[in-house]
């Protein structure tokens, strides 16, 4: 982990490398900066040959939608960034309202949860069909040499006491590529600070849909399992 942090910091320094020779700037000498600059070609080459897959895991009410928006927009609008949002074309028929949106991965986890009659589905499907579509899409994008990103807060089904979480985890991991020397898989989990802010956000959302007039304390008392 320490080496990964060091590499990331060196690569950050390398992004300013062109300033070192700017005619109108004088850079005060710094031993560590100079040492980092010497290793820039090696670091940049190492970075460019590593294929990345990033999964945005949420959870809910942690600016997850904003993160998905940025990732979705960059992957679609900035081709030189070489990132692709994982959204299997075949899912357009199965989940047409989700296809080609930042929430496209929702259908995968709804299927894995077993809610196969959920209105997100336009036709009958199975969790295995959805898993295979994502597995094949990731393999295809790997061959293109692009970095991959996708995500869904609905991965929180892994924390359910009513589902076979181990089985679902194994299924999800089977979709991801096996980590090799030139591949890097990251799961990004966010949180709000202080943590009570996340509960307050959930309460406000509930107010807008179901519980007009109920106080935060009353809401907590109504859902004691949230505190547990």
């Amino acid at each position: 982990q320490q080496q990964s942090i060091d590499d990331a910091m060196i690569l950050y320094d390398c992004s300013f490398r062109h300033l070192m020779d700017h005619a109108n700037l004088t850079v005060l000498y710094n031993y560590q900066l100079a040492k980092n600059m010497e290793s820039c070609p090696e670091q940049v080459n190492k970075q460019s040959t590593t294929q990345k897959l990033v999964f945005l895991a949420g959870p809910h009410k942690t600016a997850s939608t904003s993160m998905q928006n940025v990732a979705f927009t960059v992957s679609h609008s900035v081709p030189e960034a070489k990132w692709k949002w994982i959204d299997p074309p075949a899912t357009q028929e199965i989940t047409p309202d989700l296809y080609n949106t930042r929430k496209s991965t929702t259908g995968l986890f709804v299927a894995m949860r077993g809610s196969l009659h959920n209105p997100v589905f336009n036709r009958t499907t199975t969790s295995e069909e959805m898993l295979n579509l994502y597995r094949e899409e990731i393999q295809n994008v790997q061959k293109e040499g692009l970095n991959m990103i996708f995500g869904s807060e609905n991965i929180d089904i892994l924390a359910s006491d009513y589902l076979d979480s181990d089985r679902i985890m194994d299924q999800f991991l089977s979709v991801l590529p096996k980590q090799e020397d030139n591949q890097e898989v990251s799961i990004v989990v966010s949180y709000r600070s202080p943590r009570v802010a996340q509960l307050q956000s959930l309460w406000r959302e509930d107010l807008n849909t179901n519980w007009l007039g109920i106080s935060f304390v009353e809401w907590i008392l109504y859902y004691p399992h949230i505190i547990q």
Side-chain angles (χ1 to χ4, degrees):
Q1 290 178 334
Q2 185 64 50
Q3 186 60 53
S4 296
I5 293 172
D6 288 344
D7 287 346
M9 294 304 295
I10 292 172
L11 197 65
Y12 177 79
D13 285 348
C14 290
S15 66
F16 295 94
R17 191 180 180 200
H18 65 285
L19 294 178
M20 301 292 283
D21 300 320
H22 197 286
N24 298 325
L25 288 176
T26 299
V27 180
L28 297 178
Y29 181 80
N30 176 282
Y31 173 77
Q32 189 60 52
L33 179 63
K35 185 178 178 182
N36 288 351
M37 290 298 169
E38 289 176 5
S39 67
C40 281
E42 178 185 347
Q43 288 293 329
V44 171
N45 182 60
K46 178 181 177 182
Q47 187 75 4
S48 64
T49 57
T50 300
Q51 190 175 31
K52 298 180 179 181
L53 183 144
V54 176
F55 185 86
L56 306 175
H60 295 278
K61 315 310 295 182
T62 58
S64 53
T65 297
S66 296
M67 293 176 68
Q68 291 163 8
N69 276 335
V70 171
F72 183 83
T73 300
V74 168
S75 62
H76 283 75
S77 306
V78 191
E80 60 271 22
K82 296 184 178 180
W83 283 90
K84 184 165 185 178
W85 183 267
I86 299 300
D87 192 7
T91 61
Q92 183 173 9
E93 176 196 0
I94 304 171
T95 53
D97 292 338
L98 298 175
Y99 180 71
N100 200 31
T101 73
R102 66 182 189 278
K103 295 296 183 183
S104 58
T105 317
T106 300
L108 172 64
F109 288 98
V110 172
M112 291 170 66
R113 188 173 63 203
S115 304
L116 301 178
H117 298 292
N118 191 290
V120 301
F121 296 119
N122 187 51
R123 67 161 175 81
T124 303
T125 187
T126 64
S127 60
E128 194 54 42
E129 179 183 20
M130 293 294 288
L131 287 163
N132 282 334
L133 290 176
Y134 273 84
R135 197 175 290 121
E136 291 170 5
E137 178 67 2
I138 287 174
Q139 290 172 355
N140 290 336
V141 177
Q142 274 186 288
K143 294 175 183 177
E144 295 178 42
L146 299 175
N147 296 315
M148 297 162 276
I149 189 165
F150 65 130
S152 173
E153 306 92 329
N154 288 276
I155 196 175
D156 63 7
I157 61 175
L158 292 172
S160 173
D161 293 330
Y162 306 103
L163 299 172
D164 186 350
S165 298
D166 289 340
R167 176 186 59 80
I168 294 174
M169 174 63 85
D170 288 341
Q171 288 180 329
F172 173 63
L173 293 177
S174 75
V175 170
L176 305 182
K178 293 182 179 179
Q179 207 153 330
E180 300 175 358
D181 290 341
N182 66 332
Q183 293 177 342
E184 181 181 303
V185 177
S186 301
I187 309 292
V188 180
V189 181
S190 308
Y191 70 95
R192 290 177 72 149
S193 181
R195 294 302 299 276
V196 70
Q198 188 169 352
L199 292 177
Q200 291 173 327
S201 182
L202 287 168
W203 163 62
R204 292 190 188 96
E205 183 169 311
D206 224 0
L207 283 184
N208 293 331
T209 54
N210 301 312
W211 297 92
L212 291 176
I214 192 171
S215 71
F216 181 60
V217 172
E218 290 171 324
W219 183 80
I220 289 292
L221 293 174
Y222 192 85
Y223 293 114
H225 65 278
I226 290 179
I227 299 301
Q228 294 170 359

mmCIF file of all heavy atoms in Angstrom, residues 148-170:
data_model
loop_
_atom_site.group_PDB
_atom_site.id
_atom_site.type_symbol
_atom_site.label_atom_id
_atom_site.label_comp_id
_atom_site.label_asym_id
_atom_site.label_seq_id
_atom_site.Cartn_x
_atom_site.Cartn_y
_atom_site.Cartn_z
ATOM 1 N N MET A 148 -11.871 0.402 -17.445
ATOM 2 C CA MET A 148 -13.298 0.141 -17.271
ATOM 3 C C MET A 148 -13.796 0.709 -15.954
ATOM 4 O O MET A 148 -13.090 0.677 -14.946
ATOM 5 C CB MET A 148 -13.554 -1.373 -17.292
ATOM 6 C CG MET A 148 -13.192 -2.035 -18.602
ATOM 7 S SD MET A 148 -12.995 -3.837 -18.462
ATOM 8 C CE MET A 148 -11.291 -3.926 -17.888
ATOM 9 N N ILE A 149 -15.027 1.230 -15.967
ATOM 10 C CA ILE A 149 -15.630 1.744 -14.745
ATOM 11 C C ILE A 149 -17.137 1.520 -14.810
ATOM 12 O O ILE A 149 -17.752 1.643 -15.870
ATOM 13 C CB ILE A 149 -15.290 3.237 -14.541
ATOM 14 C CG1 ILE A 149 -15.735 3.699 -13.154
ATOM 15 C CG2 ILE A 149 -15.880 4.115 -15.639
ATOM 16 C CD1 ILE A 149 -15.131 5.022 -12.744
ATOM 17 N N PHE A 150 -17.718 1.146 -13.696
ATOM 18 C CA PHE A 150 -19.165 1.032 -13.555
ATOM 19 C C PHE A 150 -19.468 0.979 -12.071
ATOM 20 O O PHE A 150 -18.554 1.000 -11.235
ATOM 21 C CB PHE A 150 -19.741 -0.174 -14.301
ATOM 22 C CG PHE A 150 -19.307 -1.542 -13.804
ATOM 23 C CD1 PHE A 150 -20.256 -2.520 -13.542
ATOM 24 C CD2 PHE A 150 -17.963 -1.876 -13.630
ATOM 25 C CE1 PHE A 150 -19.871 -3.790 -13.113
ATOM 26 C CE2 PHE A 150 -17.573 -3.139 -13.218
ATOM 27 C CZ PHE A 150 -18.532 -4.091 -12.949
ATOM 28 N N GLY A 151 -20.738 0.948 -11.694
ATOM 29 C CA GLY A 151 -21.039 0.931 -10.267
ATOM 30 C C GLY A 151 -22.518 0.996 -9.979
ATOM 31 O O GLY A 151 -23.328 1.351 -10.839
ATOM 32 N N SER A 152 -22.853 0.648 -8.751
ATOM 33 C CA SER A 152 -24.245 0.703 -8.298
ATOM 34 C C SER A 152 -24.290 0.609 -6.777
ATOM 35 O O SER A 152 -23.623 -0.236 -6.183
ATOM 36 C CB SER A 152 -25.063 -0.435 -8.908
ATOM 37 O OG SER A 152 -26.370 -0.461 -8.346
ATOM 38 N N GLU A 153 -25.102 1.481 -6.175
ATOM 39 C CA GLU A 153 -25.298 1.411 -4.730
ATOM 40 C C GLU A 153 -26.024 0.129 -4.327
ATOM 41 O O GLU A 153 -25.994 -0.274 -3.163
ATOM 42 C CB GLU A 153 -26.120 2.604 -4.236
ATOM 43 C CG GLU A 153 -25.580 3.957 -4.634
ATOM 44 C CD GLU A 153 -26.185 4.457 -5.930
ATOM 45 O OE1 GLU A 153 -26.524 3.617 -6.804
ATOM 46 O OE2 GLU A 153 -26.312 5.690 -6.093
ATOM 47 N N ASN A 154 -26.656 -0.510 -5.309
ATOM 48 C CA ASN A 154 -27.437 -1.707 -5.008
ATOM 49 C C ASN A 154 -26.575 -2.910 -4.626
ATOM 50 O O ASN A 154 -27.104 -3.964 -4.266
ATOM 51 C CB ASN A 154 -28.333 -2.067 -6.193
ATOM 52 C CG ASN A 154 -29.477 -1.092 -6.344
ATOM 53 O OD1 ASN A 154 -30.502 -1.222 -5.693
ATOM 54 N ND2 ASN A 154 -29.305 -0.081 -7.177
ATOM 55 N N ILE A 155 -25.260 -2.733 -4.662
ATOM 56 C CA ILE A 155 -24.382 -3.792 -4.167
ATOM 57 C C ILE A 155 -24.570 -3.967 -2.661
ATOM 58 O O ILE A 155 -24.087 -4.936 -2.078
ATOM 59 C CB ILE A 155 -22.909 -3.492 -4.502
ATOM 60 C CG1 ILE A 155 -22.050 -4.755 -4.339
ATOM 61 C CG2 ILE A 155 -22.391 -2.339 -3.664
ATOM 62 C CD1 ILE A 155 -20.601 -4.587 -4.753
ATOM 63 N N ASP A 156 -25.291 -3.035 -2.024
ATOM 64 C CA ASP A 156 -25.529 -3.161 -0.582
ATOM 65 C C ASP A 156 -26.395 -4.376 -0.236
ATOM 66 O O ASP A 156 -26.568 -4.705 0.948
ATOM 67 C CB ASP A 156 -26.144 -1.894 0.003
ATOM 68 C CG ASP A 156 -27.518 -1.562 -0.570
ATOM 69 O OD1 ASP A 156 -28.071 -2.385 -1.331
ATOM 70 O OD2 ASP A 156 -28.034 -0.464 -0.256
ATOM 71 N N ILE A 157 -26.893 -5.081 -1.252
ATOM 72 C CA ILE A 157 -27.619 -6.319 -0.961
ATOM 73 C C ILE A 157 -26.687 -7.337 -0.311
ATOM 74 O O ILE A 157 -27.152 -8.280 0.353
ATOM 75 C CB ILE A 157 -28.248 -6.937 -2.229
ATOM 76 C CG1 ILE A 157 -27.166 -7.291 -3.261
ATOM 77 C CG2 ILE A 157 -29.294 -6.018 -2.812
ATOM 78 C CD1 ILE A 157 -27.704 -8.018 -4.482
ATOM 79 N N LEU A 158 -25.386 -7.142 -0.444
ATOM 80 C CA LEU A 158 -24.428 -8.058 0.185
ATOM 81 C C LEU A 158 -24.493 -7.976 1.701
ATOM 82 O O LEU A 158 -24.024 -8.869 2.400
ATOM 83 C CB LEU A 158 -23.002 -7.733 -0.279
ATOM 84 C CG LEU A 158 -22.698 -8.021 -1.750
ATOM 85 C CD1 LEU A 158 -21.331 -7.482 -2.128
ATOM 86 C CD2 LEU A 158 -22.763 -9.514 -2.030
ATOM 87 N N ALA A 159 -25.077 -6.887 2.215
ATOM 88 C CA ALA A 159 -25.182 -6.721 3.670
ATOM 89 C C ALA A 159 -26.521 -7.228 4.215
ATOM 90 O O ALA A 159 -26.765 -7.141 5.416
ATOM 91 C CB ALA A 159 -25.000 -5.255 4.033
ATOM 92 N N SER A 160 -27.360 -7.769 3.348
ATOM 93 C CA SER A 160 -28.683 -8.222 3.786
ATOM 94 C C SER A 160 -28.603 -9.509 4.599
ATOM 95 O O SER A 160 -27.838 -10.417 4.286
ATOM 96 C CB SER A 160 -29.588 -8.446 2.569
ATOM 97 O OG SER A 160 -30.812 -9.021 2.960
ATOM 98 N N ASP A 161 -29.411 -9.555 5.656
ATOM 99 C CA ASP A 161 -29.511 -10.768 6.477
ATOM 100 C C ASP A 161 -30.474 -11.779 5.858
ATOM 101 O O ASP A 161 -30.601 -12.897 6.345
ATOM 102 C CB ASP A 161 -29.993 -10.418 7.888
ATOM 103 C CG ASP A 161 -28.975 -9.593 8.656
ATOM 104 O OD1 ASP A 161 -27.772 -9.768 8.391
ATOM 105 O OD2 ASP A 161 -29.376 -8.781 9.509
ATOM 106 N N TYR A 162 -31.167 -11.368 4.801
ATOM 107 C CA TYR A 162 -32.212 -12.212 4.217
ATOM 108 C C TYR A 162 -31.788 -12.865 2.906
ATOM 109 O O TYR A 162 -32.568 -13.583 2.288
ATOM 110 C CB TYR A 162 -33.476 -11.367 3.988
ATOM 111 C CG TYR A 162 -33.934 -10.661 5.234
ATOM 112 C CD1 TYR A 162 -33.695 -9.303 5.402
ATOM 113 C CD2 TYR A 162 -34.584 -11.351 6.261
ATOM 114 C CE1 TYR A 162 -34.101 -8.630 6.558
ATOM 115 C CE2 TYR A 162 -35.000 -10.689 7.407
ATOM 116 C CZ TYR A 162 -34.752 -9.339 7.549
ATOM 117 O OH TYR A 162 -35.134 -8.692 8.701
ATOM 118 N N LEU A 163 -30.558 -12.598 2.473
ATOM 119 C CA LEU A 163 -30.065 -13.168 1.227
ATOM 120 C C LEU A 163 -28.782 -13.945 1.477
ATOM 121 O O LEU A 163 -28.121 -13.765 2.504
ATOM 122 C CB LEU A 163 -29.795 -12.053 0.207
ATOM 123 C CG LEU A 163 -30.990 -11.200 -0.219
ATOM 124 C CD1 LEU A 163 -30.528 -10.025 -1.067
ATOM 125 C CD2 LEU A 163 -32.005 -12.031 -0.983
ATOM 126 N N ASP A 164 -28.436 -14.799 0.540
ATOM 127 C CA ASP A 164 -27.199 -15.568 0.629
ATOM 128 C C ASP A 164 -26.051 -14.681 0.145
ATOM 129 O O ASP A 164 -25.651 -14.720 -1.014
ATOM 130 C CB ASP A 164 -27.321 -16.830 -0.233
ATOM 131 C CG ASP A 164 -26.125 -17.757 -0.068
ATOM 132 O OD1 ASP A 164 -25.129 -17.342 0.555
ATOM 133 O OD2 ASP A 164 -26.188 -18.895 -0.577
ATOM 134 N N SER A 165 -25.524 -13.866 1.058
ATOM 135 C CA SER A 165 -24.533 -12.853 0.691
ATOM 136 C C SER A 165 -23.258 -13.469 0.123
ATOM 137 O O SER A 165 -22.650 -12.918 -0.799
ATOM 138 C CB SER A 165 -24.195 -11.982 1.909
ATOM 139 O OG SER A 165 -25.341 -11.290 2.357
ATOM 140 N N ASP A 166 -22.830 -14.592 0.678
ATOM 141 C CA ASP A 166 -21.599 -15.229 0.183
ATOM 142 C C ASP A 166 -21.751 -15.649 -1.277
ATOM 143 O O ASP A 166 -20.832 -15.479 -2.089
ATOM 144 C CB ASP A 166 -21.251 -16.446 1.042
ATOM 145 C CG ASP A 166 -20.754 -16.064 2.428
ATOM 146 O OD1 ASP A 166 -20.330 -14.901 2.595
ATOM 147 O OD2 ASP A 166 -20.804 -16.907 3.336
ATOM 148 N N ARG A 167 -22.917 -16.193 -1.601
ATOM 149 C CA ARG A 167 -23.167 -16.622 -2.982
ATOM 150 C C ARG A 167 -23.167 -15.416 -3.917
ATOM 151 O O ARG A 167 -22.566 -15.448 -4.998
ATOM 152 C CB ARG A 167 -24.507 -17.351 -3.074
ATOM 153 C CG ARG A 167 -24.894 -17.763 -4.500
ATOM 154 C CD ARG A 167 -26.294 -18.355 -4.546
ATOM 155 N NE ARG A 167 -27.308 -17.441 -4.063
ATOM 156 C CZ ARG A 167 -27.830 -16.451 -4.802
ATOM 157 N NH1 ARG A 167 -27.417 -16.255 -6.053
ATOM 158 N NH2 ARG A 167 -28.749 -15.665 -4.294
ATOM 159 N N ILE A 168 -23.822 -14.330 -3.508
ATOM 160 C CA ILE A 168 -23.900 -13.139 -4.334
ATOM 161 C C ILE A 168 -22.518 -12.522 -4.524
ATOM 162 O O ILE A 168 -22.158 -12.073 -5.623
ATOM 163 C CB ILE A 168 -24.878 -12.114 -3.708
ATOM 164 C CG1 ILE A 168 -26.301 -12.689 -3.732
ATOM 165 C CG2 ILE A 168 -24.840 -10.791 -4.463
ATOM 166 C CD1 ILE A 168 -27.324 -11.830 -3.011
ATOM 167 N N MET A 169 -21.721 -12.522 -3.456
ATOM 168 C CA MET A 169 -20.362 -11.999 -3.565
ATOM 169 C C MET A 169 -19.534 -12.813 -4.561
ATOM 170 O O MET A 169 -18.814 -12.266 -5.401
ATOM 171 C CB MET A 169 -19.682 -11.998 -2.199
ATOM 172 C CG MET A 169 -18.203 -11.591 -2.227
ATOM 173 S SD MET A 169 -17.947 -9.899 -2.811
ATOM 174 C CE MET A 169 -18.195 -9.015 -1.264
ATOM 175 N N ASP A 170 -19.656 -14.136 -4.475
ATOM 176 C CA ASP A 170 -18.925 -15.001 -5.407
ATOM 177 C C ASP A 170 -19.358 -14.734 -6.850
ATOM 178 O O ASP A 170 -18.524 -14.713 -7.772
ATOM 179 C CB ASP A 170 -19.145 -16.477 -5.058
ATOM 180 C CG ASP A 170 -18.417 -16.885 -3.781
ATOM 181 O OD1 ASP A 170 -17.488 -16.161 -3.384
ATOM 182 O OD2 ASP A 170 -18.792 -17.926 -3.195
#
